Amino acid sequence: MLERGIQPWATLYHWDLPQYLQERGGWAERDTVLRYLEFVDAVTRRLGDRVQHWITHNEPWCTAILGNFEGLHAPGLTDFGTALQVCHHVLLSHGKAVPLIRENVPQARVGISLSLHPLRAASPSEADRAACERHDGLRYRWFLDPLHGRGYPAATLEQVGAAAPVVHEGDMEAIAVATDFMGVNYYFPETVADAPGHEPLDARVLPPPAGAETTAMGWEVAPEGMSELLGRIHADYAPKELYITENGSCFDDEVLADGSVPDAGRRRYLARHLGAMKDAIAAGVPVKGYFAWSLVDNFEWAEGYLRRFGLVHIDYTTQERRLKESGKWYRSFLQQP
């Protein structure tokens, strides 16, 4: 990458906990924080002479909630209390990793990447608005508040009750360590309805409205949601810099006889979301960069190899790579002055 003039950014944890540690309790065990720090120390010592930009964790929500409450990702657990303890330890490991990275890499710039959505109540009713507020406390403020020195939201702590994580003295101060940037992974907005009995907080995220444009994942295409979300983060927390660390789309790509992959939907998606980012910048939000997800088709966790997000098509049988039409467009976009 350096030989080609490409600035490397390294994400230290993207849901890839060793099975050895999971069998000892995984992120629900406080000891895993120490094992993570050993890993961070080794990697940053080895690569710190060439890599200056570091992301401690990718999407703690997915690590904690999708993996330990909804059971969709590894380790496939469905316990809310475990999920919140996992979340706390992941955030704590982030806070403790930041000074370690800076010690090992004097010129390091360090941040964390969160998966976030603009949230909307399903209706103007008091019940739906209250449900959206509850969901917001867990989906948005549960991460951003402690990272910015505000602790876990008091109302949400009360709502989760006995499932609240065990917090040791000094933990919240560690989590609130100053960072150089905030990474935001944006894909779609969420519409929230009151749903009594729906765990964990009597709120439910609704599917996209009828007639909405969606990707092959069933996710709503809503580029205006990106500028809305970035504007809210800037207004609520004023991070020094924001980066879109993931944004992309999955479509059912077809390789034509001539070898081309005409993915017009992905090309439009990229152009529209880059436009939404430009709108946010024009409104004063300090967005400094954008990472398209993803360079190549890859293993998409619970979706396996069925879903393709790449700008480059991979034939998984032959390993042949083909630059999709979206990739050609993006290359041209990047080459513009």
Side-chain angles (χ1 to χ4, degrees), residues 213-215 221-224 226 247-251 253 261-277 290 311 324-330 333:
E213 181 183 358
T214 59
T215 68
V221 178
E224 68 281 359
M226 174 187 283
N247 176 242
S249 56
C250 171
F251 290 98
D253 300 324
V261 185
D263 57 336
R266 186 175 290 107
R267 187 180 71 244
R268 288 195 302 270
Y269 184 100
L270 284 167
R272 292 170 64 191
H273 284 77
L274 286 165
M277 183 179 69
Y290 174 95
L311 302 177
K324 302 176 187 178
E325 293 304 310
S326 63
K328 295 176 182 178
W329 178 89
Y330 194 57
F333 168 78

Side-chain angles (χ1 to χ4, degrees), residues 242-324:
L242 285 161
Y243 286 83
I244 297 296
T245 39
E246 280 188 29
N247 176 242
S249 56
C250 171
F251 290 98
D252 295 325
D253 300 324
E254 180 183 4
V255 179
L256 302 185
D258 63 1
S260 65
V261 185
D263 57 336
R266 186 175 290 107
R267 187 180 71 244
R268 288 195 302 270
Y269 184 100
L270 284 167
R272 292 170 64 191
H273 284 77
L274 286 165
M277 183 179 69
K278 184 178 179 182
D279 291 341
I281 294 171
V285 181
V287 184
K288 301 300 182 181
Y290 174 95
F291 292 81
W293 186 268
S294 164
L295 174 63
V296 297
D297 293 333
N298 55 39
F299 182 76
E300 286 292 337
W301 307 99
E303 302 294 331
Y305 291 105
L306 297 177
R307 301 301 186 189
R308 296 178 180 268
F309 281 80
L311 302 177
V312 176
H313 181 277
I314 296 183
D315 184 316
Y316 292 125
T317 301
T318 67
Q319 293 298 302
E320 182 177 359
R321 268 72 165 160
R322 296 179 175 90
L323 189 60
K324 302 176 187 178

Side-chain angles (χ1 to χ4, degrees), residues 16-301:
D16 41 4
L17 187 71
Q19 184 65 26
Y20 172 88
L21 293 178
Q22 183 57 45
E23 289 171 358
R24 285 152 181 78
W27 280 107
E29 288 296 320
R30 194 175 176 92
D31 183 68
T32 301
V33 174
L34 301 180
R35 305 288 78 77
Y36 171 76
L37 293 176
E38 291 173 353
F39 168 74
V40 169
D41 184 50
V43 173
T44 53
R45 286 181 182 275
R46 181 68 177 87
L47 300 179
D49 61 328
R50 286 153 289 164
V51 180
Q52 274 72 54
H53 295 79
W54 299 90
I55 297 170
T56 56
H57 282 272
N58 180 74
E59 300 186 337
W61 165 270
C62 297
T63 303
I65 303 299
L66 293 189
N68 292 273
F69 174 59
E70 296 185 7
L72 298 176
H73 286 187
L77 303 181
T78 55
D79 183 81
F80 189 48
T82 298
L84 293 187
Q85 193 65 58
V86 165
C87 182
H88 179 70
H89 287 156
V90 168
L91 291 176
L92 178 62
S93 74
H94 154 79
K96 289 183 174 292
V98 172
L100 175 59
I101 296 168
R102 289 182 172 144
E103 180 181 347
N104 288 348
V105 187
Q107 303 302 315
R109 300 189 69 248
V110 190
I112 188 171
S113 290
L114 305 180
S115 57
L116 298 168
H117 310 263
L119 304 177
R120 302 155 186 175
S123 78
S125 73
E126 183 177 345
D128 282 345
R129 286 189 287 109
C132 189
E133 181 70 14
R134 293 193 299 274
H135 184 70
D136 183 80
L138 184 62
R139 189 66 185 82
Y140 177 89
R141 288 175 282 128
W142 190 263
F143 299 88
L144 285 158
D145 275 12
L147 288 169
H148 291 87
R150 304 178 190 178
Y152 293 117
T156 309
L157 273 174
E158 183 178 351
Q159 290 157 5
V160 302
V166 175
V167 177
H168 292 194
E169 184 178 353
D171 283 3
M172 303 315 294
E173 290 79 6
I175 292 170
V177 64
T179 55
D180 299 294
F181 63 87
M182 173 65 64
V184 177
N185 295 357
Y186 172 75
Y187 290 97
F188 55 92
E190 288 186 339
T191 301
V192 184
D194 184 47
H198 188 84
E199 295 182 337
L201 298 179
D202 298 324
R204 183 166 63 93
V205 177
L206 301 181
E213 181 183 358
T214 59
T215 68
M217 293 289 291
W219 296 348
E220 183 179 357
V221 178
E224 68 281 359
M226 174 187 283
S227 49
E228 175 188 339
L229 175 63
L230 291 170
R232 180 184 176 188
I233 296 169
H234 176 57
D236 288 352
Y237 302 100
K240 289 182 287 188
E241 293 183 354
L242 285 161
Y243 286 83
I244 297 296
T245 39
E246 280 188 29
N247 176 242
S249 56
C250 171
F251 290 98
D252 295 325
D253 300 324
E254 180 183 4
V255 179
L256 302 185
D258 63 1
S260 65
V261 185
D263 57 336
R266 186 175 290 107
R267 187 180 71 244
R268 288 195 302 270
Y269 184 100
L270 284 167
R272 292 170 64 191
H273 284 77
L274 286 165
M277 183 179 69
K278 184 178 179 182
D279 291 341
I281 294 171
V285 181
V287 184
K288 301 300 182 181
Y290 174 95
F291 292 81
W293 186 268
S294 164
L295 174 63
V296 297
D297 293 333
N298 55 39
F299 182 76
E300 286 292 337
W301 307 99

